Amino acid sequence: DFAKSKTLLQQRQYLPIYAVKEDLLNIIRDNNIVVVIGETGSGKTTQLAQYLHEDGYSKYGMVGCTQPRRVAAMSVAKRVSEEMGVTLGEEVGYAIRFEDVTSEKTIIKYMTDGILLRESLRESDLDGYSCIIMDEAHERSLNTDVLFGLLREVITRRRDLKLIVTSATMDAEKFSHFFGNVPSYTIPGRTFPVDVLFSKSVVEDYVDAAVKQALQIHVQARKGDILVFMPGQEDIEVTCESLTERLEELDDVAPLTVLPIYSQLPSDLQAKIFQKTPDGVRKCVVATNIAETSLTVDGIAFVIDPGYCKMKVFNSRIGMDALSVFPVSQANANQRSGRAGRTEAGVAYRLYTLNQYKNEMLVASVPEIQRTNLANVVLLLKSLGVQDLLKFHFMDPPPQDNILNSMYQLWILGALDNTGQLTTCGRSMVEFPLDPPLSKMMITAVEMGCSSEILIIVSMLSVPAIFYRPAGREEDSDTKREKFCVPESDHMTLLNVYQQWKANGYSSTWCNDHFIHAKAMKKVREVRAQLKEIADQQKMPLVSAGNDWDIIRKCICAAYFHHAATLKGIGEYVNLRTGMPCHLHPTSALFGMGFTPDYVVYHELVMTSREYMQSVTAVEGEWLAELGPMFYSVKESAKSRQEKRK
Ligand code: ADP
Ligand code: MG
């Protein structure tokens, strides 16, 4: 009701940060670096940048604010543009990978930490900014951690730059210490007590348990909205469907608005979580980690926490990163519970036992820099002239093995030479805002004469979720999808989709008819245009392979040859380097066609019930053998297979 009845200005003045505005600005005037601590929802993200602008800093450069998450950057910029009464993209804008909504006029810029990191490549002193707010520092995202090290240097060169590091948790001391014992300021909180209830027994099916809990709250409890955490999009979709179905089965129950939120959700649907429901209608938001601290939904009185989140973690067993579901840390669990007590006293239902909380959850989660592949970071730092990465000033240094492993990957891709220096190829790779294997694919494609096709494939891979499969029409959509399948390659299947879309005049109706997200395809086209621009700048010509599709597969092989697998049994592959099993996913074109080639390469591994390869292309053993001595054994087996055939 508050949002409905109060003006935006009144809402701003009600935020806890407003009461300490002058204090904060004074401490920022007197210090170059300040750490600001405040509970989620206190107004750090939306207000700080505006205060700095009001205090005149934007006269000397932009006020930049980094976010670990794309959704947060977009949604907060939109909110702030409304609060300031300006058009989004003008005075207030945002930039995320492949999407720059800023202009000459922009004075407050929200962006992902990855964007600022790339900007530092072009402009190492970040001269365009008068202030930089490193928001959500407690998240310790990989890019934020790298920025910490870089900004620590920038600030010694630029005495006029203000750096503000914000965090929702009390780890201020660590940040303050890292920057040379700089002052920290805590925004006094205004929170209400939250009753934390643990599950009495171990929960087997957290989706089912969460749905039941939400319904029980809805039927029995007083007013107040519900926030359910889920690890990822699939679980969120199932939860929402199941909630809606079971609500229909119940007679005489008050209406409940069920709203999903995750990063791939179209932005108009994302915005819905902030809208007030009509009187007497309860809201249930089903969210990923994004609602833990990045986005604040007002009016939440009940939190349901299954205790899981999705994380990309380097898996030494398979020798690469894999996205999997892990238990959250105790710190995350406490943040989640806190979401119930922002506007009134609340209740948090934890779908795990007290024993699990105490004995199976880490106290705090491991920073991303210590658990993921660092190839991209190594490439960036090398091109910034950081020679010895083991000496770079990290807040928490990554394990040495991890750095060496990433350097090895860059070496086999030809980005680093034998002495660890950046090669010409490596320099060219840095120009593309892509993961190293994909930038390598772009460069190889020019040499091999298929850059026109590879540009499309890379763009398609950069926009996930092209196909959809509506409930009740699964068969229909699967049949349509199969028509696009190129039996030997998911990558070529993606190419085929794009080419047919193009042949149909880039039509949205055509997309809808084929269960393809029209918005996603539009995005692919934009990404393609941006990557083409980078290719043009580097004088990389677009050449088409024509009908020679083997060349395209060979090019894919060259970029992914460290992700190669060989056939072991029916539909079962083993990684060539590690011998670990990996499987064709049922949505793969190869699976659908019942085609099981001796060798494949794949884009990434996804761990669910088993290790699944995502985006798979059939390759020849001889190609793999050509690409490096570490595949000598492939050469052997390729030969012996040939002999056997003879
Ligand atoms: P913090 O960064 O300290 O967690 P924020 O500045 O994000 O706090 O949030 C302050 C207030 O602004 C909250 O009440 C939140 O609900 C509101 N808010 C933030 N983003 C939006 C948005 N996109 N739409 C509506 N309200 C928003
Ligand atoms: Mg915030």
Side-chain angles (χ1 to χ4, degrees):
D1 308 303
F2 187 72
K4 255 194 274 173
S5 58
K6 297 283 192 292
T7 64
L8 281 177
L9 185 64
Q10 282 168 324
Q11 286 181 44
R12 288 186 64 192
Q13 292 175 346
Y14 182 75
L15 292 170
I17 198 172
Y18 182 75
V20 294
K21 178 177 175 181
E22 287 310 318
D23 275 6
L24 258 174
L25 286 173
N26 283 335
I27 196 168
I28 291 168
R29 263 175 231 133
D30 295 341
N31 297 277
N32 282 73
I33 311 179
V34 178
V35 178
V36 175
I37 312 294
E39 293 271 351
T40 299
S42 52
K44 302 180 299 297
T45 309
T46 51
Q47 306 308 303
L48 260 177
Q50 295 186 72
Y51 293 173
L52 292 167
H53 158 59
E54 288 162 19
D55 211 30
Y57 290 101
S58 51
K59 285 189 208 122
Y60 312 106
M62 280 183 288
V63 175
C65 179
T66 65
Q67 296 292 319
R69 297 162 197 277
R70 301 156 56 102
V71 184
M74 290 158 71
S75 120
V76 165
K78 181 166 172 289
R79 169 72 177 187
V80 171
S81 69
E82 284 161 12
E83 289 185 5
M84 286 175 61
V86 299
T87 308
L88 182 62
E90 296 192 349
E91 285 84 352
V92 180
Y94 71 87
I96 59 180
R97 192 171 70 136
F98 299 127
E99 194 169 328
D100 186 351
V101 186
T102 62
S103 66
E104 297 277 280
K105 277 192 183 170
T106 302
I107 44 179
I108 296 182
K109 175 170 172 182
Y110 288 91
M111 70 202 114
T112 52
D113 42 18
I115 292 281
L116 190 66
L117 196 52
R118 293 202 71 87
E119 284 184 6
S120 76
L121 278 180
R122 307 246 171 294
E123 175 59 75
S124 60
D125 280 355
L126 296 167
D127 280 326
Y129 297 91
S130 60
C131 311
I132 290 170
I133 304 168
M134 288 188 59
D135 206 3
E136 301 272 316
H138 60 269
E139 281 249 346
R140 301 293 306 278
S141 77
L142 177 58
N143 290 330
T144 295
D145 266 16
V146 178
L147 275 172
F148 274 145
L150 291 174
L151 285 171
R152 202 169 164 272
E153 302 301 314
V154 172
I155 209 101
T156 61
R157 298 192 295 264
R158 274 196 59 196
R159 289 278 157 208
D160 58 323
L161 181 69
K162 296 289 180 190
L163 176 63
I164 295 139
V165 177
T166 81
S167 171
T169 53
M170 300 299 160
D171 43 16
E173 222 169 281
K174 186 164 192 167
F175 298 133
S176 155
H177 180 73
F178 177 78
F179 288 104
N181 296 321
V182 299
S184 66
Y185 188 92
T186 303
I187 302 166
R190 190 196 301 138
T191 49
F192 297 84
V194 176
D195 239 347
V196 177
L197 306 177
F198 286 92
S199 169
K200 296 226 164 45
S201 55
V202 174
V203 168
E204 295 293 339
D205 180 345
Y206 58 78
V207 171
D208 185 60
V211 170
K212 284 190 180 134
Q213 188 63 64
L215 287 174
Q216 195 186 0
I217 294 169
H218 182 53
V219 176
Q220 296 177 351
R222 62 184 161 87
K223 251 178 78 183
D225 294 335
I226 307 171
L227 172 61
V228 183
F229 285 98
M230 280 290 154
Q233 177 178 345
E234 308 81 48
D235 282 337
I236 290 180
E237 284 169 354
V238 176
T239 306
C240 291
E241 273 170 33
S242 167
L243 256 176
T244 316
E245 269 171 31
R246 293 201 213 171
L247 274 167
E248 280 168 11
E249 289 164 13
L250 296 173
D251 289 332
D252 273 352
V253 64
L256 177 73
T257 308
V258 180
L259 299 168
I261 174 104
Y262 49 85
S263 62
Q264 295 304 327
L265 191 74
S267 52
D268 46 330
L269 297 180
Q270 285 178 7
K272 279 196 175 170
I273 63 161
F274 293 109
Q275 286 163 13
K276 272 270 152 194
T277 46
D279 282 345
V281 178
R282 196 196 296 271
K283 172 161 83 180
C284 178
V285 175
V286 187
T288 54
N289 239 354
I290 183 121
E292 197 175 287
T293 61
S294 298
L295 295 181
T296 314
V297 187
D298 292 327
I300 300 292
F302 307 97
V303 162
I304 300 174
D305 174 20
Y308 291 101
C309 66
K310 244 188 202 170
M311 276 197 291
K312 211 175 214 179
V313 173
F314 181 79
N315 184 323
S316 56
R317 204 165 60 93
I318 54 171
M320 70 187 74
D321 282 357
L323 196 62
S324 331
V325 173
F326 291 95
V328 297
S329 68
Q330 293 175 4
N332 294 120
N334 295 337
Q335 276 296 331
R336 290 179 171 193
S337 303
R339 303 286 68 75
R342 267 235 332 126
T343 32
E344 58 191 303
V347 189
Y349 297 88
R350 293 183 169 170
L351 306 180
Y352 38 90
T353 62
L354 179 60
N355 187 45
Q356 284 177 303
Y357 173 82
K358 280 189 178 159
N359 301 317
E360 290 172 23
M361 290 182 171
L362 297 173
V363 173
S365 49
V366 179
E368 194 176 5
I369 198 159
Q370 297 190 319
R371 59 174 158 83
T372 54
N373 179 299
L374 300 171
N376 229 336
V377 168
V378 172
L379 202 57
L380 278 167
L381 289 179
K382 285 271 175 189
S383 78
L384 284 168
V386 178
Q387 290 303 339
D388 189 352
L389 290 153
L390 299 174
K391 290 201 188 120
F392 184 74
H393 205 102
F394 289 112
M395 190 179 294
D396 289 304
Q400 191 168 328
D401 272 5
N402 209 349
I403 296 192
L404 295 178
N405 203 344
S406 305
M407 286 181 73
Y408 175 72
Q409 193 197 335
L410 290 171
W411 175 74
I412 58 178
L413 285 174
L416 297 182
D417 65 16
N418 289 344
T419 64
Q421 305 271 359
L422 213 55
T423 60
T424 318
C425 172
R427 252 171 235 298
S428 181
M429 280 164 68
V430 182
E431 296 299 318
F432 291 96
L434 298 167
D435 277 342
L438 292 183
S439 18
K440 171 74 183 196
M441 208 193 285
M442 290 287 300
I443 293 161
T444 311
V446 176
E447 290 158 14
M448 289 189 174
C450 56
S451 50
S452 182
E453 287 83 5
I454 292 293
L455 179 64
I456 294 172
I457 292 174
V458 170
S459 309
M460 289 289 279
L461 286 170
S462 302
V463 179
I466 299 290
F467 297 100
Y468 61 92
R469 208 167 170 257
R473 302 187 63 189
E474 287 87 354
E475 255 181 60
D476 205 7
S477 53
D478 288 350
T479 317
K480 289 260 169 79
R481 182 174 177 158
E482 259 171 38
K483 292 219 173 92
F484 293 107
C485 285
V486 176
E488 60 268 37
S489 168
D490 289 322
H491 297 89
M492 312 272 282
T493 300
L494 291 175
L495 173 65
N496 189 20
V497 169
Y498 189 91
Q499 284 176 336
Q500 292 203 32
W501 180 54
K502 185 178 171 190
N504 283 279
Y506 302 112
S507 143
S508 309
T509 324
W510 180 87
C511 289
N512 297 339
D513 288 348
H514 292 85
F515 299 96
I516 288 168
H517 283 298
K519 269 199 181 154
M521 291 305 292
K522 216 178 126 216
K523 185 81 214 168
V524 173
R525 205 177 162 196
E526 284 166 26
V527 171
R528 186 194 163 279
Q530 287 180 37
L531 290 177
K532 181 175 180 300
E533 204 172 296
I534 297 171
D536 287 348
Q537 280 161 8
Q538 296 206 70
K539 309 209 166 21
M540 289 166 53
L542 281 197
V543 265
S544 167
N547 291 326
D548 190 357
W549 284 24
D550 276 2
I551 288 287
I552 304 177
R553 280 198 298 130
K554 198 166 181 181
C555 178
I556 293 167
C557 182
Y560 284 125
F561 74 100
H562 57 295
H563 284 185
T566 184
L567 187 66
K568 177 96 180 303
I570 298 165
E572 192 191 325
Y573 284 80
V574 288
N575 184 295
L576 268 176
R577 270 194 301 161
T578 61
M580 291 315 296
C582 42
H583 303 266
L584 278 179
H585 197 271
T587 56
S588 168
L590 281 74
F591 189 96
M593 297 286 151
F595 179 56
T596 46
D598 288 345
Y599 295 100
V600 296
V601 293
Y602 54 90
H603 180 56
E604 61 184 359
L605 268 195
V606 177
M607 317 274 260
T608 47
S609 45
R610 48 183 10 189
E611 285 96 349
Y612 281 116
M613 299 181 280
Q614 289 255 306
S615 303
V616 178
T617 284
V619 298
E620 305 294 328
E622 293 85 85
W623 298 347
L624 290 171
E626 273 169 32
L627 292 161
M630 62 290 249
F631 286 108
Y632 184 66
S633 58
V634 174
K635 201 169 185 174
E636 287 278 294
S637 70
K639 256 193 198 156
S640 60
R641 273 174 209 273
Q642 265 179 348
E643 268 151 27
K644 258 189 255 161
R645 277 192 200 135
K646 276 178 205 158

